[in-house]
Amino acid sequence: MGGESADRPVPDAAARTPARPIVTVVVGGGIAGLVAAWVRAQAGDHVLVLEASEQVGGTVRGATLDLADGSTVTVDVGAESFATRTPAVADLARDLGLAVVQPDPLGAWAYAAERAHDDPDAPLRPVAVPLPRTATLGIPTSPWSRDVRRALGTWGALRAWWDLGMPRTPVPPPDRPWSLADWVRERLGETVLDRLVAPVAGGVHSADPATLDPRTVAPQLVAAYEKTGSLLRAASQVAAAPGRGKDKPGSPVAGVEGGMHRIVDELVDAIEAAGGAVRTGVRVDALVRNGDGDGWVVRAGDEQVAAARVVAATPRRVATDLLGDLLPPATAHPRHGSDVQLVTLVLDAPALDAAPRGTGVLVAPSADVRAKGLTHATAKWPWLRAALPVHRHVVRLSYGRAGDPGHTRVPDVDEALADASRLLGVTLDRAAVVGHLGTHWPDALAPAVSFDRERAEAAQAAAPGLTVVGGWVAGTGLAAVVGHARAAVTPPAIA
Ligand SMILES: Cc1cc2nc3c(=O)[nH]c(=O)nc-3n(C[C@H](O)[C@H](O)[C@H](O)COP(=O)(O)OP(=O)(O)OC[C@H]3O[C@@H](n4cnc5c(N)ncnc54)[C@H](O)[C@@H]3O)c2cc1C
């Protein structure tokens, strides 16, 4: 455990470790660990990455599918894009010699269920609308713009417009529960909530807006609302903030030609070229500080390795065990992640050539499909489209929302195909499927909380030579994780 001391001498580093003395051991070969390892290797450290699974990259992973016609296609089965609100990932990709690519500007759609106007007893019916280009968490900035009217209809737009003339309703005090759903329903009406906010917030936070507190998920929006007294004006202010794109819903994103997993392949090559080593299948079970507090012993089963510097780059649960009492107790319960399942379908389907739902669909929790989102990857990424024969499409469905532990099974092809048909508005039959793959990510996308970063900083201050990186301290998403990992192992963050 992190608080223990190793008084006995450290045996030589185990076989297959570099011959030179190891200065930095990185525990966890996800993107955070690999970025930290590369930075330290370039700085001259002798770096060893220890990764528990047989494959590096963590949730940035590619997979090659064998297709019915004997060909193959390699696709991302974890992260497939990155937010461009910071230059962190684009800079990394370019430093590694990879081409950063923009998604096709088709835009995405929302899929929801709603009742006929003014009739609470009417059955729910599905509705699919293109997402307005300028919005914050699905909240439109201008109810009368053409794309918003198209999404909401005249009555929905009119109801949203009332917000500008409504009296300001105070933000509840911090100890009073408050939900994004209640806020949007009150200010902008049910149609904005059902058609726009539920799918977008559900996609971004993997949760029902009824369970999301605006003070946690949208503090800037709440601050802007407190100034302006209008949710539409607040959304405009946030959408106009520096770093926000003006032309797509949510944060603007980019990708890497060939897929995000290429960053992982290139990082491993770059670490090795700089003299470092990356080992897979090595599960670290203890980090022990030397008795004099100078240096560490990293233990994995029967093996142990001496290190001057340790970078803990695992998910929260593992880091909590490894760091032990170096980590101050949590002041609140961190929210756990969701059980995410992905189904990738490769389809020969001419009906999809026209990209009927743009680059993909975000799904409201109330909808009649279990999928929470669909990415039409060949519509979104021109490089992937160009790599495949005509009429061939890659469609990725994602399943599993936060707080919904009921579903942990990866859906089978027929279930995924039925969902894809509904979401894309096109009948897709089994004969169209030329390849498929299910991927399971347990406890994924756990939201980072500020007290975790403070705990990690306290552990670092108490234990010289320790650096803690990864999504649980940096925030979910590659933009946050990469930028944080790079800075955390670069002076002045370390000596
Ligand atoms: C399905 C999915 C899709 C996503 N899509 C996107 C996206 O499109 N864009 C985006 O920006 N973000 C996306 N994300 C989030 C993004 O992938 C993560 O925020 C980021 O990759 C986290 O990186 P990490 O290195 O902190 O953690 P991880 O990727 O979890 O890596 C941690 C590593 O530590 C290893 N490890 C654990 N225990 C030990 C141990 N005891 N010893 C040694 N090694 C250990 C693990 O095996 C793992 O490889 C997605 C996530 C998922 C699950």
Side-chain angles (χ1 to χ4, degrees), residues 385-421:
R385 187 161 64 232
L388 294 176
V390 67
H391 305 319
R392 183 157 294 174
H393 295 269
V394 177
V395 168
R396 178 169 111 160
L397 293 116
S398 55
Y399 294 82
R401 295 182 193 273
D404 174 19
H407 296 288
T408 54
R409 178 185 58 83
V410 180
D412 62 23
V413 185
D414 293 322
E415 188 178 351
L417 200 59
D419 283 359
S421 296

Side-chain angles (χ1 to χ4, degrees), residues 1 9 13 46 50 54 65 160 184 349 372 414 441 486:
M1 300 284 280
H46 299 161
L50 299 177
E54 294 302 330
L65 281 74
V184 172
K372 64 175 182 175
D414 293 322
W441 296 106
R486 225 171 184 173

Side-chain angles (χ1 to χ4, degrees), residues 8 50 58 80 113 170 179 280 311 345 354 418 446 459 490:
R8 54 204 172 82
L50 299 177
E80 54 92 49
S179 81
T280 55
V311 179
L345 299 173
T490 305

Side-chain angles (χ1 to χ4, degrees), residues 28 30-32 50-52 58-59 78-81 284 313 318 441 444-445 470-471 477-478:
I31 191 90
L50 299 177
E51 163 56 42
T59 49
E80 54 92 49
S81 62
V284 171
V318 180
W441 296 106
L445 303 169
L478 300 174

Side-chain angles (χ1 to χ4, degrees), residues 374-392:
L374 175 150
T375 304
H376 187 167
T378 31
K380 184 170 182 178
W381 302 114
W383 62 264
L384 183 57
R385 187 161 64 232
L388 294 176
V390 67
H391 305 319
R392 183 157 294 174

Side-chain angles (χ1 to χ4, degrees), residues 87-427:
V89 185
D91 286 352
L92 173 69
R94 290 194 192 101
D95 290 350
L96 291 165
L98 295 169
V100 173
V101 289
Q102 302 304 314
D104 193 295
L106 283 167
W109 284 53
Y111 184 91
E114 63 182 21
R115 299 182 199 286
H117 204 59
D118 282 344
D119 184 359
D121 298 324
L124 285 169
R125 51 165 197 197
V127 52
V129 294
L131 282 166
R133 290 189 177 268
T134 313
T136 297
L137 266 185
I139 298 167
T141 56
S142 159
W144 297 118
S145 66
R146 199 206 294 218
D147 56 358
V148 175
R149 263 186 299 146
R150 185 173 168 206
L152 298 179
T154 305
W155 284 112
L158 186 64
R159 172 61 188 86
W161 179 67
W162 284 358
D163 165 78
L164 295 171
M166 282 168 74
R168 175 195 305 252
T169 36
V171 169
D175 56 342
R176 280 257 310 281
W178 190 35
S179 81
L180 183 64
D182 289 344
W183 193 25
V184 172
R185 188 182 292 112
E186 180 193 341
R187 300 293 316 186
L188 306 175
E190 205 78 44
T191 310
V192 173
L193 176 63
D194 289 343
R195 293 192 181 181
L196 303 180
V197 175
V200 174
V204 173
H205 293 285
S206 202
D208 190 319
T211 67
L212 296 172
D213 186 330
R215 294 163 293 202
T216 310
V217 297
Q220 289 166 312
L221 192 65
V222 174
Y225 173 76
E226 285 190 305
K227 268 195 230 136
T228 61
S230 148
L231 189 45
L232 289 175
R233 288 201 188 98
S236 298
Q237 276 196 4
V238 173
R244 285 291 306 263
K246 307 282 180 292
D247 58 349
K248 295 187 200 74
S251 296
V253 296
V256 163
E257 187 161 337
M260 291 305 296
H261 59 275
R262 291 199 55 210
I263 289 194
V264 170
D265 302 339
E266 294 298 329
L267 272 171
V268 171
D269 288 351
I271 292 165
E272 289 174 351
V278 179
R279 287 184 57 193
T280 55
V282 183
R283 183 172 298 278
V284 171
D285 44 45
L287 298 178
V288 185
R289 292 171 75 197
N290 287 333
D292 55 6
D294 188 16
W296 297 79
V297 177
V298 179
R299 292 196 177 135
D302 296 338
E303 293 189 42
Q304 54 184 17
V305 181
R309 198 192 309 273
V310 165
V311 179
T314 67
R316 180 197 280 121
R317 278 179 212 269
V318 180
T320 305
D321 285 348
L322 291 178
L323 297 176
D325 49 18
L326 280 176
L327 211 55
T331 49
H333 272 301
R335 275 172 54 204
H336 292 305
S338 358
D339 192 288
V340 175
Q341 309 108 43
L342 300 181
V343 180
T344 303
L345 299 173
V346 185
L347 304 161
D348 277 347
L352 296 184
D353 292 352
R357 296 291 184 256
T359 56
V361 187
L362 294 170
V363 184
S366 57
D368 58 349
V369 293
R370 182 155 86 75
K372 64 175 182 175
L374 175 150
T375 304
H376 187 167
T378 31
K380 184 170 182 178
W381 302 114
W383 62 264
L384 183 57
R385 187 161 64 232
L388 294 176
V390 67
H391 305 319
R392 183 157 294 174
H393 295 269
V394 177
V395 168
R396 178 169 111 160
L397 293 116
S398 55
Y399 294 82
R401 295 182 193 273
D404 174 19
H407 296 288
T408 54
R409 178 185 58 83
V410 180
D412 62 23
V413 185
D414 293 322
E415 188 178 351
L417 200 59
D419 283 359
S421 296
R422 281 203 195 91
L423 293 174
L424 291 163
V426 162
T427 304

